[in-house]
Amino acid sequence: MTNTTATPVSSAILKDLPKNVQGPTYDRAAIKEGILHIGVGGFHRSHQALYLDDLFQSHGELDWAICGVGIMPQDAAMNKALQAQDCLYTLVERIGNKSTARIIGSLKTYLFGFENAELVFQRIADPAIKIITLTATEGGYCFHQGSGELDLDNKGIQNDLKNPKNPQTIFGYLAEGLELRRKANAGKVTILSCDNLQGNGHVAERTLLAFCQVKNPDLVGWIKENVSFPNCMVDRITPATTDAEREFVRSNYNLEDAFPVVAEPFKQWVVEDSFINGRPALEKVGVQFTKDVAPYEKMKIRLLNATHSAMGYLGYLCGYRYIYEIAQAPEFIPYLKALMDNEVTPLIDNVPGVNLAEYKQSLMERFANESIKDQALRICMDGSAKLPKFIFPSIVEQLERKGPIRKLTLCVASWIRFLEAKDEQGNEIPIQDPMADRLVAVAKTRDLKALLAMTDIFGDLGQNERFVKELTELLASLHEKGARATLDAVRAEA
Ligand code: CS2
């Protein structure tokens, strides 16, 4: 039922919020931008922006407000919503029948680079900006899976080299902006990647330097001296915003928000403390600073993100549409647990302060959170970028140690079956992946060899006999017996 009296979110309502909604009590006019963030989606708004809001709220550190940036054409809706709402939005945390809502005020401005890239370049060159944070997605770093190097043939990269004033990737924006910053003598800056990549800081550094080496070699030395790239691990399950979330906010909180965000209550951020030009005191609001993030990143990506992928593709083929349904399905639970326990856990090093059994148990509980309605299709997006980071490295390590790979390989087989873009009932599967055209065309021919020959995605995996054999068997089973029977058979194996 639509609530026609709901109040549109804007600064004007902060003085008089509905009783069950919290909002900034600090003076938003007094906050100063110190961070520029590229990629303001659901995740950034449920995670980093919340940590900063907490800091402003309870510790009065007001110099680290965020200048948000969108660079993709599809960010137009976010741009429209945030401009109309004074960059405010509602964050709802949901679990069971409990929900809490809060208006987040840490985002001060939003620049839509897709329409005006120059404004973004200038902000990158502003001495007030001391940190640039990124959520560019796993595919946004455009590197070749086999070599690990920046893929100079990537269409976006090609565009940014030829057309520097209208970039399409983070690299084009960063290279132009940092060049201005260098010329303006605007000082050092930290670039903090918040994407799910192991060694995300190293990846950002390597790819950006490779891009600049081609575009503007003069900048390379400056970056090496003046930019630091800490690694970090980020975590909070944040479904895509749909009309259902808008309606939830309307009917429960009497707010009209064009782009609310709903997330689970859990959040975690572990960051390497190597900020070259200062940082907010985020340790006061629960961020963990450490010298070595690697064990945390590996644990999170190989357990949480990998299990998500395993649920997404196979679950979708089995007819499920939400992650909680899959995480609660009795036929899936033992499969997911075996994947984590037998195939991934032996690869995880000691993680300081973490009990892995408890961590895995908490993952299963988080996946099963039915209030946030995380979409299987969200998880299935961009498989060409996710599997090489979440799943393949564990398979490679298990192959080296002659360990089990069956459950992980079933995830790969399910992805390949999913890419055929028709489900077992003959219904169209919507494939969202920058490489969709190329992948779907080959997946439909069922020529596995041709698919595995795409080394930019599969690296050398296609040359491993044992992997190819297991993958071939599982794919055949998906084709002949179907997803459910294949899951049953794999689950029954020791
Ligand atoms: C998910 C992540 O996109 C995915 O495949 O696994 O978005 C996941 O929800 C987050 O990394 C949780 O922190």
Side-chain angles (χ1 to χ4, degrees):
M1 210 176 50
T2 305
N3 177 350
T4 47
T5 61
T7 313
V9 170
S10 79
S11 304
I13 68 163
L14 292 183
K15 285 189 296 303
D16 192 20
L17 286 173
K19 278 205 182 57
N20 55 352
V21 178
Q22 295 189 332
T25 49
Y26 53 87
D27 177 8
R28 272 191 96 227
I31 58 176
K32 295 197 200 84
E33 287 168 25
I35 300 176
L36 179 139
H37 180 81
I38 304 182
V40 179
F43 177 72
H44 168 75
R45 296 184 309 141
S46 77
H47 189 261
Q48 182 181 333
L50 168 63
Y51 279 106
L52 286 158
D53 194 70
D54 272 341
L55 191 67
F56 303 163
Q57 190 73 16
S58 34
H59 299 276
E61 270 206 41
L62 299 181
D63 287 350
W64 296 99
I66 304 164
C67 168
V69 171
I71 64 173
M72 308 298 282
Q74 62 269 26
D75 293 328
M78 185 66 77
N79 178 43
K80 191 165 169 223
L82 291 176
Q83 304 303 355
Q85 298 179 182
D86 303 317
C87 287
L88 296 167
Y89 61 91
T90 320
L91 169 63
V92 182
E93 291 175 11
R94 295 190 65 183
I95 188 156
N97 53 14
K98 283 200 227 99
S99 72
T100 55
R102 170 164 164 185
I103 306 278
I104 302 296
S106 53
L107 195 64
K108 183 147 181 168
T109 49
Y110 183 84
L111 305 177
F112 190 28
F114 180 74
E115 274 177 0
N116 191 341
E118 188 56 39
L119 279 182
V120 180
F121 305 152
Q122 283 166 13
R123 280 328 296 280
I124 293 177
D126 181 342
I129 297 297
K130 299 197 163 52
I131 303 174
I132 298 170
T133 51
L134 307 170
T135 42
T137 78
E138 293 77 25
Y141 295 81
C142 311
F143 64 88
H144 186 287
Q145 197 51 37
S147 65
E149 300 303 327
L150 181 72
D151 179 6
L152 290 167
D153 296 329
N154 176 286
K155 275 199 202 124
I157 299 285
Q158 285 280 320
N159 168 79
D160 292 7
L161 290 171
K162 289 193 203 108
N163 210 355
K165 295 293 169 200
N166 287 304
Q168 292 172 359
T169 76
I170 51 169
F171 302 108
Y173 281 91
L174 291 173
E176 281 295 301
L178 292 177
E179 176 60 17
L180 278 186
R181 191 172 179 102
R182 174 171 84 108
K183 286 201 185 117
N185 220 353
K188 297 178 189 283
V189 67
T190 299
I191 296 185
L192 178 67
S193 161
C194 299
D195 287 290
N196 291 312
L197 302 164
Q198 263 171 258
N200 49 12
H202 298 315
V203 171
E205 177 173 23
R206 193 174 66 234
T207 48
L208 179 62
L209 287 176
F211 180 81
C212 293
Q213 193 65 55
V214 181
K215 183 183 180 283
N216 178 1
D218 285 354
L219 190 56
V220 171
W222 186 87
I223 293 178
K224 286 188 177 159
E225 295 264 294
N226 294 285
V227 183
S228 69
F229 296 87
N231 293 299
C232 78
M233 179 269 247
V234 292
D235 193 4
R236 183 169 235 196
I237 297 175
T238 310
T241 298
T242 68
D243 283 341
E245 283 72 36
R246 293 183 182 94
E247 181 51 34
F248 186 82
V249 168
R250 212 175 275 134
S251 47
N252 288 275
Y253 300 106
N254 202 32
L255 292 173
E256 187 61 47
D257 191 328
F259 232 125
V261 55
V262 172
E264 62 171 343
F266 179 92
K267 66 180 191 306
Q268 190 177 13
W269 200 2
V270 186
V271 189
E272 204 173 83
D273 202 355
S274 54
F275 289 70
I276 202 166
N277 193 5
R279 64 161 174 84
L282 287 165
E283 66 279 7
K284 292 183 183 161
V285 289
V287 175
Q288 187 182 343
F289 285 94
T290 162
K291 278 209 175 71
D292 186 11
V293 182
Y296 299 92
E297 284 180 321
K298 185 169 180 183
M299 168 185 78
K300 192 259 171 167
I301 293 171
R302 304 283 190 96
L303 288 167
L304 187 155
N305 298 110
T307 310
H308 251 169
S309 294
M311 285 191 277
Y313 300 110
L314 192 59
Y316 190 94
L317 294 173
C318 289
Y320 295 114
R321 294 296 173 262
Y322 293 103
I323 294 299
Y324 75 86
E325 297 172 324
I326 305 163
Q328 292 181 7
E331 74 276 20
F332 265 90
I333 295 171
Y335 163 66
L336 301 170
K337 286 192 169 160
L339 182 148
M340 290 200 267
D341 291 346
N342 307 340
E343 301 192 5
V344 181
T345 304
L347 309 173
I348 307 291
D349 312 315
N350 175 43
V351 190
V354 179
N355 172 322
L356 273 186
E358 286 170 13
Y359 181 76
K360 287 183 281 186
Q361 180 55 34
S362 80
L363 290 184
M364 290 304 292
E365 287 162 17
R366 291 169 60 197
F367 295 148
N369 179 350
E370 54 189 61
S371 322
I372 58 167
K373 299 216 166 18
D374 197 14
Q375 306 90 355
L377 280 176
R378 179 184 81 84
I379 300 300
C380 295
M381 259 169 66
D382 298 350
S384 65
K386 288 177 181 173
L387 268 74
K389 280 95 189 172
F390 304 166
I391 300 284
F392 298 167
S394 295
I395 295 182
V396 169
E397 287 176 34
Q398 284 293 14
L399 287 169
E400 276 162 10
R401 50 158 79 196
K402 300 195 176 19
I405 58 166
R406 193 75 164 170
K407 311 311 189 261
L408 290 162
T409 307
L410 178 55
C411 170
V412 186
S414 311
W415 175 50
I416 294 174
R417 171 64 190 83
F418 177 88
L419 287 172
E420 290 174 22
K422 278 238 161 35
D423 68 14
E424 290 173 8
Q425 288 69 44
N427 300 314
E428 209 70 40
I429 304 178
I431 310 286
Q432 283 192 64
D433 192 305
M435 300 201 189
D437 293 350
R438 183 176 158 221
L439 285 166
V440 170
V442 181
K444 281 189 164 162
T445 65
R446 298 196 174 175
D447 182 349
L448 183 58
K449 247 194 166 162
L451 204 66
L452 294 175
M454 298 179 185
T455 53
D456 55 333
I457 299 172
F458 290 94
D460 295 337
L461 264 179
Q463 275 150 39
N464 185 288
E465 247 175 68
R466 180 176 157 214
F467 170 70
V468 176
K469 182 171 170 281
E470 297 210 20
L471 181 62
T472 308
E473 282 166 17
L474 289 167
L475 249 180
S477 170
L478 287 173
H479 287 139
E480 287 153 26
K481 304 193 183 113
R484 277 179 189 270
T486 306
L487 171 62
D488 289 346
V490 169
R491 199 185 54 232
E493 290 165 12

